[in-house]
Amino acid sequence: MSEVILEVENLQVKFRVSKRDMLTAIQDVSFRVHKKEILGIVGESGCGKSVTANTILRLLPSQTSQISNGKILFHGQDLVQLSNKEMRQIRGDKISMIFQEPMTSLNPVYRIGDQMVEMYRAKNKHMSKKEAWQKAIHMLEMVDIPSPEQRMKDYPHQLSGGMRQRVMIAMALSARPELLIADEPTTALDVTIQAQVLQLMKQLQEEMDTAILLITHDMGVVAEMADTVMVMYAGEVVEYADVTTIFNRPLHPYTRGLLASLTRADRDMGRLSSIEGTVPPLSQMPEGCRFNTRCPDCQAACKEKAPALLEVEPNHMVRCLRCGKV
Ligand SMILES: Nc1ncnc2c1ncn2[C@@H]1O[C@H](COP(=O)(O)OP(=O)(O)OP(=O)(O)O)[C@@H](O)[C@H]1O
Ligand SMILES: [Mg+2]
């Protein structure tokens, strides 16, 4: 495989929940992203996908959160150690991010064009307004927005959800970042628009050689987009392998449950209900394996011993006492 650009090692993040108490939201999270790779991070709500993504860009609230262990090496440089000022140079430039709901990132009181121009000029002080305006039009063309000159004069609410997300993609990719972190970028869109936006992301990713960390709770999206898959449960990585392995030889009962939900009508209703129950809150993590309360294969040992993430075959990692062998 090509060069590793991001290497996350044993990451642990805690949140302060009271004066005395901190709870661990993610622990022992390790993964790598290669140049041009699309790594899908999957798991149900509350599994720690966004905390992982936001930690990479150091977007968590500094007052109430703490990176209590681990490294985030971007081209070998540990982002955990960088000052806020140094981090600002990485954010949006070398690593950029798009979120689920573009309305939270776009300012509702400014026209689309003005926001794009302002962003370009904030990054490049020498760029004239006219140049920035032209660049914005060019970027909107690139994400297939019809009549971009007209759209530049619109306010965010005048665009459809799909168009707004295209604007966000245009803004996120304008600096040609090496890594794009997309946190549920299409979840808020309806299914056909979702497919178009994903298609566009993939096309641009190939043109620009960008790597993508794609967060989703939808195994269907993973199948379409990802090269590699990391399955998270209750703040931990439970399975990690290339996409073919995950779909052909899933080992962790949680991964199997997620895949089973793909073939059921539940999915059309936006649910992953083939696994009974829900992800435990941080304050109520079970002893032993964190999945033991919901696992169909749970045995006595699973309630006592927390399993380590083991490599069961080359590049296939699983955290399960019972599935140590393929
Ligand atoms: N600022 C915070 N303070 C305290 N706990 C938090 C904070 N942010 C997240 N958490 C907790 O950390 C855990 C992981 O949350 P996270 O947002 O990463 O889940 P997620 O996998 O992105 O879920 P979703 O699919 O709903 O977006 C959850 O238990 C959540 O309640
Ligand atoms: Mg999230």
Side-chain angles (χ1 to χ4, degrees):
M1 257 225 198
S2 52
E3 178 197 357
V4 173
I5 55 172
L6 181 78
E7 191 162 11
V8 171
E9 284 178 10
N10 310 108
L11 196 63
Q12 183 181 60
V13 173
K14 293 184 177 180
F15 287 111
R16 180 163 297 289
V17 285
S18 69
K19 248 189 181 163
R20 272 203 243 130
D21 298 310
M22 297 201 76
L23 292 176
T24 307
I26 58 166
Q27 71 175 8
D28 197 21
V29 170
S30 301
F31 61 91
R32 289 171 161 196
V33 184
H34 298 81
K35 195 175 166 150
K36 301 187 204 178
E37 176 181 346
I38 303 186
L39 170 67
I41 302 187
V42 274
E44 294 159 293
S45 188
C47 281
K49 306 180 298 292
S50 297
V51 170
T52 304
N54 291 335
T55 306
I56 295 170
L57 275 180
R58 301 248 311 267
L59 293 173
L60 292 176
S62 56
Q63 306 284 327
T64 52
S65 70
Q66 186 199 349
I67 301 175
S68 37
N69 191 32
K71 291 182 180 164
I72 303 170
L73 303 171
F74 182 65
H75 288 294
Q77 183 180 39
D78 190 0
L79 301 186
V80 176
Q81 306 299 334
L82 295 190
S83 67
N84 290 337
K85 191 175 167 213
E86 288 167 321
M87 222 28 238
R88 273 198 293 277
Q89 284 165 358
I90 301 246
R91 234 180 265 142
D93 202 18
K94 298 208 160 48
I95 307 179
S96 62
M97 186 148 177
I98 41 179
F99 301 90
Q100 177 171 338
E101 182 33 78
M103 274 314 260
T104 54
S105 318
L106 289 168
N107 189 330
V109 301
Y110 291 108
R111 294 172 200 270
I112 298 286
D114 292 335
Q115 296 192 46
M116 293 184 79
V117 164
E118 193 187 326
M119 184 189 82
Y120 295 144
R121 300 208 340 139
K123 294 226 173 288
N124 182 351
K125 303 249 169 340
H126 304 294
M127 193 183 271
S128 70
K129 269 195 176 150
K130 201 171 161 200
E131 267 176 286
W133 192 261
Q134 286 309 322
K135 181 172 162 102
I137 292 177
H138 173 71
M139 289 305 293
L140 292 184
E141 277 168 356
M142 210 175 73
V143 292
D144 297 332
I145 289 190
S147 325
E149 288 92 343
Q150 292 307 310
R151 298 291 76 77
M152 296 272 284
K153 295 175 197 144
D154 285 343
Y155 289 94
H157 73 267
Q158 292 174 285
L159 301 185
S160 66
M163 285 298 154
R164 279 200 292 268
Q165 202 55 301
R166 283 169 192 266
V167 171
M168 291 316 300
I169 294 173
M171 291 170 83
L173 291 180
S174 36
R176 292 188 161 255
E178 287 179 68
L179 176 66
L180 174 68
I181 301 177
D183 190 352
E184 307 262 9
T186 57
T187 308
L189 307 174
D190 70 47
V191 179
T192 16
I193 307 291
Q194 188 175 84
Q196 289 167 8
V197 171
L198 290 172
Q199 181 64 35
L200 170 76
M201 273 176 64
K202 188 142 192 170
Q203 177 206 325
L204 293 174
Q205 178 258 344
E206 279 164 13
E207 280 169 27
M208 293 187 174
D209 291 346
T210 317
I212 303 182
L213 217 153
L214 178 66
I215 295 176
T216 174
H217 58 265
D218 187 338
M219 277 290 194
V221 170
V222 170
E224 286 286 313
M225 300 284 289
D227 302 305
T228 351
V229 185
M230 179 165 102
V231 183
M232 290 188 76
Y233 184 77
E236 294 178 331
V237 179
V238 296
E239 190 156 8
Y240 183 28
D242 67 80
V243 69
T244 322
T245 305
I246 289 284
F247 278 81
N248 291 346
R249 281 196 305 287
L251 288 176
H252 199 287
Y254 183 61
T255 313
R256 293 182 180 190
L258 291 180
L259 287 168
S261 67
L262 241 190
T263 52
R264 291 168 50 135
D266 302 344
R267 191 169 159 245
D268 298 333
M269 298 163 74
R271 289 186 304 198
L272 287 169
S273 61
S274 66
I275 313 169
E276 291 287 322
T278 50
V279 182
L282 302 183
S283 55
Q284 291 168 29
M285 282 302 158
E287 291 290 310
C289 169
R290 295 183 165 200
F291 189 55
N292 72 32
T293 49
R294 301 172 72 193
C295 182
D297 303 333
C298 176
Q299 299 204 338
C302 306
K303 299 200 181 211
E304 286 157 19
K305 193 166 179 244
L309 187 69
L310 296 179
E311 190 166 30
V312 292
E313 58 179 328
N315 300 316
H316 186 177
M317 318 284 289
V318 186
R319 189 187 295 277
C320 173
L321 291 177
R322 302 205 54 234
C323 34
K325 290 205 173 65
V326 183

